Amino acid sequence: MRRVLVIQHVADEPPLAIGDVLAAKGISVDIMRVDRGDPVPTTLASDGLVIMGGPMGVADTARLPHLGQEITLLRDALAQGKPILGVCLGSQLLAAALGARVSPGPAKEIGWHPVTLEPAAQGDALFGAAPQQFIGFHWHGDIFELPAGATALARSERTAVQAFRHGRAWGILFHLEVSRDAVHGFTRAFADELAAEQLDGAAIAAAASDHCATLEQLGREVFSRWAELVLTLGPQRTPFADLGGAAVVHDLAMRFYDAMEAHEPALTALHECESPGKVSRGARERFALFLAGWLGGPQDYTAQHGPPRLRMRHREVPVDAGMRDAWLRSMTLAMDAAGITGDVRRYLDARFAEVANFLRNID
Ligand code: HEM
């Protein structure tokens, strides 16, 4: 039987329709109540991960350590390629795990507001059958930028990114899982916030009768599709996994700099060097971390140094055709020396060439 771990932050925001759909599909749902002190695991043993909403934010990690632990768990689930669904706070934590900035929006978005799907949603595994526009239920203050490598799926008038996909992870900022009763529960549980925002809770609750039927139908469709991923997907094959994991990727990065130092003095001189012709240990280790994340492994580089943003990092580096070729020669020698062959070699040859060309900034 497939299992899904659901992290719940407060009593009033349980998995609701998500839990119902998963159970109906024969998936076992393990609910972790961090508000009751349930410990957050560092790695995901289950087949999928759902993170629900809550009245706290990514900025509260110091006050609420479980939030930081959830980000670590998300990074592990991302590295394993397991299906992830982040709802409201869960989507903010997912965005943070991917290195995106999460910050307070210009104003809180609470209540019933239109959600518009982005063109990319048409081919999306979850939103592919959803109407181009619908009324969603919103209750958030924080918003996030689109994480590097993610696809924007939805927006609203007030919030540029309302949903996104990154690999097999979906972040949905608005609430698709609520029922009429749940909305009433929200307005009772968070009445102080409504008062502070001078919002009419009774009107918001009453409007649930107009909107919930359509929203629940859409929710069942979206969550059923996510459940199918949990049921059908095996472990994801990544170049990182195909190469043999962290040690092999680290070795490749070291061999890359060895080849560069041995054969490409001009390129070597552009790098941070600890002595003439010797690239610093720090630069070598940072590149090794980057390579692991870039090939589908742990996102530690992003965690420690922020998103790679390759174009920006190479803006001051004179990359003409000669430097590009020197870089590729060094990587080719390194892959030869590491004995990398077959499909993964063909993939890497193509990807490195593609990015090296992309980084060329001198004709
Ligand atoms: C096309 C030829 C390339 C040249 C001449 C080049 C050169 C450089 C240099 C000089 C730096 C150090 C910049 C600094 O410390 O400020 C650097 C950093 C970096 N390069 Fe390249 N690079 C090239 C291609 C690539 C490619 C294809 C990738 C990825 C596949 C890549 C990934 C990186 C990363 C991640 C860093 C930053 C590592 C850190 O945090 O220190 N580079 N590159």
Side-chain angles (χ1 to χ4, degrees):
M1 173 184 274
R2 296 274 166 142
R3 310 189 75 85
V4 164
L5 177 65
V6 176
I7 296 191
Q8 182 177 340
H9 299 106
V10 287
D12 295 287
E13 296 199 51
L16 297 166
I18 299 171
D20 302 341
V21 167
L22 292 175
K25 294 258 180 195
I27 296 171
S28 166
V29 177
D30 306 312
I31 298 182
M32 178 163 287
R33 294 289 304 262
V34 289
D35 55 330
R36 294 182 181 158
D38 289 354
V40 178
T42 50
T43 64
L44 184 68
S46 305
D47 304 293
L49 175 64
V50 175
I51 303 201
M52 299 308 300
M56 60 288 289
V58 169
D60 297 322
T61 35
R63 183 172 61 85
L64 300 167
H66 63 76
L67 295 172
Q69 292 155 1
E70 291 173 55
I71 291 176
T72 302
L73 178 64
L74 279 162
R75 289 198 174 120
D76 174 77
L78 285 162
Q80 293 189 54
K82 288 182 174 171
I84 297 170
L85 186 60
V87 174
C88 198
L89 170 63
S91 69
Q92 295 160 355
L93 291 167
L94 176 61
L98 291 162
R101 206 176 9 256
V102 181
S103 52
K108 290 195 176 179
E109 189 167 20
I110 297 176
W112 302 94
H113 304 290
V115 172
T116 303
L117 293 187
E118 300 290 357
Q122 279 170 24
D124 180 70
L126 266 58
F127 285 92
Q132 216 270 330
Q133 193 171 66
F134 53 89
I135 301 294
F137 184 64
H138 306 256
W139 202 298
H140 57 263
D142 287 355
I143 57 175
F144 42 75
E145 62 182 5
L146 183 67
T151 302
L153 298 172
R155 64 179 188 277
S156 65
E157 202 174 308
R158 192 175 290 181
T159 305
V161 185
Q162 277 279 359
F164 68 89
R165 180 190 69 245
H166 187 285
R168 291 169 174 177
W170 280 263
I172 305 177
L173 186 56
F174 62 95
H175 290 273
L176 200 48
E177 79 288 1
V178 291
S179 61
R180 191 176 157 283
D181 291 349
V183 171
H184 283 249
F186 274 53
T187 57
R188 280 193 303 273
F190 310 129
D192 298 352
E193 195 176 2
L194 291 173
E197 299 296 317
Q198 299 175 328
L199 289 169
D200 180 350
I204 292 174
S209 308
D210 306 328
H211 303 301
C212 267
T214 316
L215 195 65
E216 286 177 67
Q217 193 187 349
L218 176 58
R220 276 194 297 279
E221 173 68 26
V222 167
F223 303 138
S224 296
R225 288 168 168 243
W226 190 80
E228 281 305 318
L229 294 178
V230 173
L231 288 170
T232 54
L233 287 177
Q236 186 176 22
R237 298 204 63 75
T238 61
F240 178 82
D242 287 348
L243 280 168
V248 175
V249 172
H250 184 271
D251 173 65
L252 174 61
M254 297 305 119
R255 287 177 187 275
F256 166 66
Y257 286 106
D258 294 346
M260 184 196 291
E261 288 169 3
H263 305 286
E264 311 292 350
L267 176 58
T268 304
L270 292 176
H271 286 81
E272 178 189 291
C273 286
E274 55 193 30
S275 60
K278 202 112 191 58
V279 175
S280 73
R281 172 62 44 195
R284 282 170 168 255
E285 294 303 334
R286 285 195 302 276
F287 185 72
L289 271 188
F290 157 77
L291 211 48
W294 189 68
L295 294 174
Q299 302 294 323
D300 299 337
Y301 181 90
T302 298
Q304 294 172 28
H305 307 289
R309 295 205 172 99
L310 290 178
R311 170 82 83 175
M312 195 188 71
R313 281 183 194 269
H314 291 80
R315 206 175 31 209
E316 309 304 324
V317 179
V319 185
D320 59 11
M323 273 309 169
R324 177 204 57 203
D325 297 347
W327 196 99
L328 290 172
R329 276 196 302 272
S330 305
M331 186 54 82
T332 299
L333 285 174
M335 291 193 285
D336 291 347
I340 298 173
T341 57
D343 290 349
V344 69
R345 176 58 186 266
R346 278 185 286 281
Y347 170 83
L348 292 174
D349 282 335
R351 272 302 270 134
F352 284 132
E354 183 193 336
V355 178
N357 275 312
F358 166 73
L359 294 175
R360 183 174 167 189
N361 52 26
I362 300 175
D363 289 333

